[in-house]
Amino acid sequence: MELNAVTIGFFIFSVFTLGGGIGVVTTRNLFQGTIWLMVSLFGVAGYFVLLSAPFLAAVQILVYIGAIAILITFAVMLTRSVTRIRERYIRTVPSFVASLALFLVLLFGVTVPIFGEQNPEAIPAFVMTTRDLGVALVDADGYVAPFLLASILLTAAMIGAIFIARDEES
Amino acid sequence: MDELCTGLCKLMAEAGADVGLAQFVSLLVGVLLVSGVPLVTVILLIWVERKVAARIQDRIGPNRVGPLGLLQTFADMLKLLSKEDITPTAADRILYNIAPLVSFASVVLIWAVIPFTPFHYGVDLEIGALYFVAIASFGTLSIMAAGWASNNKYALLGAFRVVALLVSYEVPLVFALLAPVMLAGSMSLVDIVNAQTGMWFVVLSPLAFVIFYISSQAETGRAPFDLIEAESELVAGFNIEYSGMKFGMFFAAEFLHVFTNGILMALLFFGGWMGPLFYESPLIAFAWLGVKGTIIYLTTLWLRNTVPRLRIDQIMAFNWKFLVPLSIANLIFLSLALKILQELGMAPRDLIGASFAEVLPATIVMLLINLAMTVYLLGIMRKRGREARRESQAGAALARAGAAGD
């Protein structure tokens, strides 16, 4: 691996992503945990930039940091004890087994060529622009069906949430 | 020499410097210049804001330090810098100290994508408009962090209210932002301005501009949405524990944000650097952008100093029951009209570089649609206002009857 700007960027963002993840699971303070989660998600946005997908990077920040993480902070602050949590997670053995299995599967999938020979040179030097992404989402030959299905699902979920949260008398 | 090395870098490389070094130096100069503009502007903005507010309230405003009080901000800065740097004992030290930096950075980072002239910008991102929205979410985050890290219940309550306000008004802001993006067919701010050669987008979609204006007034926390610093209700809001330059950072971020929004509106709706003779010299183009941005900025100051503060429930009701449905309806009508006009051949498929005559028929149709929507809206508002008045009068009559009965 040669040392260039992309490689350095990759390592910096990896530190953000993994360090943030470690912060989330080790801190005894729920609010700091959400901040660490945002650091981790920010690192993932950096990966998208390195992969020439600026649209996904911006959406990652907008949706995960701007919306979801802010909602989590709201929820965290409405809980009784935010700092100095004493409860410990007790199901360590199943968690350990599950994460080890996931790690091995990923390692196996990356290193062993199950889906044919991996050849980095074979990937066409084609950079997908934001316009291409937009066209693919509404093109009949592209992903219009999954896109519409996801939209309907989200709308249904939203209406359901409003219905559940509504007062009985109103 | 590759295409990355132009301008200053090219000059340096031709003079015999190492290409890599020349590239680095020219990028560094660029970054310093782009981030320097907002940093210098904010010093002047504070003076402008105080002077305008004073004039509207029939006062003189700062007039002691320097000619016309121009140096007042420097005196204030020295005062803030020389104050004791206090961190409350029970505060979360790291978050407490990082929050003001994130707040200011979230505004300065917007300037990276702002094109000052057709050729001078930090970077012409393909996703410029979306970048602006994404960066704005860091501002929300910094307020939340400041409110929580202060470990003060008033700060936390203030932060709650402000974040609820900011998150809510982001929705109509994004929907209104989609109007220029859709008209230009691009999210790049340079393309959006270039698409306005024929007609400014404020004429093609005035409702989108009004929605964007109202929501950005709310995003900056200015009256009538100034819950951020509702002194009479919250002591001081989320920044109550901050003093010295850390308070100054929040303060400067807010002032700069208002001006940045003025410039953004000039770019998105008022043709940015377009104006008579802008192609003659980048300086004229830059001046046009500055003039347009400043006029919009001054109207926001005027509004801020004229209207009273709304209650939080009124602000939320106005947003969710009026602004959000309106912005969605506006977007649906806009996209339908645009597509139909393009199919009929009345509007150019690509507005970038289109002439005035080409855009004129589409402009008239769009204006009529917007006019119809406005008339309909005014009708709804009138009906709602009447109902509210009748209810309050009925309530008052009941109260009088009750008082008489005792």
Side-chain angles (χ1 to χ4, degrees):
Chain A
M1 192 185 272
E2 57 180 314
L3 194 72
N4 55 22
V6 174
T7 324
I8 296 171
F10 177 78
F11 280 116
I12 293 175
F13 290 128
S14 299
V15 169
F16 272 109
T17 313
L18 297 177
I22 292 171
V24 172
V25 291
T26 52
T27 181
R28 299 267 104 200
N29 180 327
L30 279 180
F31 191 83
Q32 281 178 0
T34 50
I35 299 285
W36 281 121
L37 181 65
M38 290 184 201
V39 172
S40 182
L41 294 169
F42 182 78
V44 177
Y47 288 146
F48 283 127
V49 172
L50 291 180
L51 293 170
S52 322
F55 179 79
L56 291 180
V59 167
Q60 168 86 12
I61 289 184
L62 184 62
V63 172
Y64 283 95
I65 297 181
I68 293 180
I70 295 280
L71 279 184
I72 293 177
T73 52
F74 262 99
V76 160
M77 283 198 246
L78 292 173
T79 50
R80 200 140 37 94
S81 62
V82 174
T83 53
R84 289 191 287 282
I85 307 231
R86 289 188 204 290
E87 289 87 353
R88 288 193 170 272
Y89 190 68
I90 42 170
R91 290 177 207 87
T92 39
V93 176
S95 309
F96 180 74
V97 172
S99 45
L100 190 71
L102 183 66
F103 178 71
L104 286 178
V105 165
L106 285 175
L107 197 70
F108 186 72
V110 170
T111 50
V112 182
I114 332 167
F115 302 108
E117 195 65 36
Q118 285 177 350
N119 185 7
E121 268 84 60
I123 299 167
F126 166 69
V127 178
M128 189 153 173
T129 62
T130 309
R131 186 180 285 266
D132 295 332
L133 188 71
V135 169
L137 279 181
V138 292
D139 193 6
D141 303 328
Y143 302 95
V144 68
F147 181 63
L148 284 179
L149 271 177
S151 316
I152 292 169
L153 202 65
L154 286 172
T155 315
M158 195 165 72
I159 294 171
I162 294 170
F163 184 76
I164 292 169
R166 200 169 68 147
D167 279 346
E168 284 298 322
E169 59 261 37
S170 58
Chain B
M1 210 172 297
D2 58 340
E3 56 184 11
L4 278 172
C5 196
T6 52
L8 178 69
C9 168
K10 201 171 176 183
L11 281 178
M12 281 178 66
E14 277 164 3
D18 180 50
V19 177
L21 183 74
Q23 228 168 17
F24 178 74
V25 169
S26 63
L27 273 176
L28 191 69
V29 170
V31 168
L32 285 180
L33 274 178
V34 169
S35 55
V37 171
L39 292 178
V40 175
T41 322
V42 72
I43 297 174
L44 194 67
L45 285 178
I46 294 173
W47 176 82
V48 172
E49 173 117 21
R50 293 182 61 181
K51 209 73 179 167
V52 170
R55 284 301 180 190
I56 290 175
Q57 296 161 355
D58 205 8
R59 293 185 286 119
I60 297 171
N63 64 340
R64 295 285 149 177
V65 193
L68 294 170
L70 262 172
L71 300 178
Q72 181 67 47
T73 312
F74 291 95
D76 288 346
M77 247 159 52
L78 279 179
K79 187 196 82 174
L80 285 176
L81 281 171
S82 60
K83 276 194 166 185
E84 189 191 347
D85 183 40
I86 303 170
T87 304
T89 342
D92 189 318
R93 292 196 76 83
I94 302 170
L95 270 179
Y96 177 84
N97 288 311
I98 283 181
L101 294 177
V102 175
S103 172
F104 195 67
S106 74
V107 182
V108 174
L109 276 173
I110 296 174
W111 287 76
V113 291
I114 285 183
F116 298 105
T117 77
F119 317 105
H120 299 84
Y121 40 76
V123 57
D124 178 22
L125 280 187
E126 195 187 24
I127 48 145
L130 195 66
Y131 169 86
F132 154 67
V133 185
I135 288 300
S137 60
F138 282 108
T140 318
L141 170 63
S142 74
I143 288 176
M144 205 69 182
W148 185 80
S150 301
N151 210 345
N152 176 317
K153 60 183 165 197
Y154 296 105
L156 190 57
L157 281 174
F160 265 139
R161 282 168 43 139
V162 175
V163 172
L165 170 84
L166 294 183
V167 171
S168 309
Y169 275 83
E170 223 164 73
V171 179
L173 185 89
V174 173
F175 277 121
L177 187 70
L178 277 178
V181 168
M182 214 149 57
L183 286 166
S186 166
M187 279 193 276
S188 146
L189 286 177
V190 178
D191 283 351
I192 288 177
V193 178
N194 278 330
Q196 301 181 54
T197 38
M199 184 63 75
W200 290 356
F201 286 163
V202 69
V203 189
L204 281 167
S205 183
L207 272 178
F209 169 68
V210 173
I211 297 167
F212 192 89
Y213 188 92
I214 294 173
S215 352
S216 57
Q217 187 84 354
E219 286 284 310
T220 47
R222 288 309 179 87
F225 309 103
D226 57 344
L227 288 175
I228 286 187
E229 42 188 49
E231 289 91 348
S232 46
E233 298 166 24
L234 286 173
V235 194
F238 70 95
N239 55 15
I240 179 171
E241 291 286 357
Y242 284 88
S243 62
M245 208 52 210
K246 279 186 277 193
F247 167 74
M249 295 285 262
F250 281 121
F251 195 65
E254 186 197 325
F255 279 40
L256 188 60
H257 199 174
V258 181
F259 185 67
T260 311
N261 274 336
I263 293 281
L264 263 174
M265 278 184 260
L267 285 167
L268 292 171
F269 292 98
F270 288 88
W273 58 74
M274 306 268 174
L277 296 175
F278 79 88
Y279 39 80
E280 293 279 332
S281 141
L283 267 181
I284 299 177
F286 181 63
W288 275 118
L289 179 66
V291 167
K292 287 173 185 173
T294 310
I295 290 174
I296 300 169
Y297 167 66
L298 287 176
T299 61
T300 63
L301 292 192
W302 184 14
L303 187 68
R304 182 208 178 184
N305 288 299
T306 311
V307 289
R309 180 186 314 135
L310 292 169
R311 282 198 323 260
I312 179 111
D313 60 315
Q314 291 170 326
I315 290 178
M316 287 300 167
F318 176 69
N319 181 53
W320 290 110
K321 294 181 186 166
F322 184 78
L323 222 49
V324 171
L326 172 64
S327 58
I328 295 174
N330 178 47
L331 204 64
I332 292 172
F333 281 115
L334 179 81
S335 48
L336 264 179
L338 194 69
K339 267 292 158 229
I340 291 171
L341 285 171
Q342 281 177 351
E343 290 302 320
L344 293 175
M346 282 169 77
R349 294 216 168 250
D350 194 359
L351 278 174
I352 296 173
S355 70
F356 177 72
E358 282 173 325
V359 193
L360 193 62
T363 309
I364 295 168
V365 176
M366 293 281 198
L367 263 182
L368 284 177
I369 292 172
N370 271 283
L371 191 72
M373 283 179 73
T374 314
V375 170
Y376 177 68
L377 281 173
L378 286 178
I380 290 181
M381 285 164 92
R382 202 164 151 213
K383 203 173 139 219
R384 271 196 199 168
R386 266 200 200 140
E387 274 167 12
R389 208 171 306 133
R390 202 175 301 140
E391 258 172 40
S392 76
Q393 275 167 359
L398 262 178
R400 265 202 304 280
D406 274 337

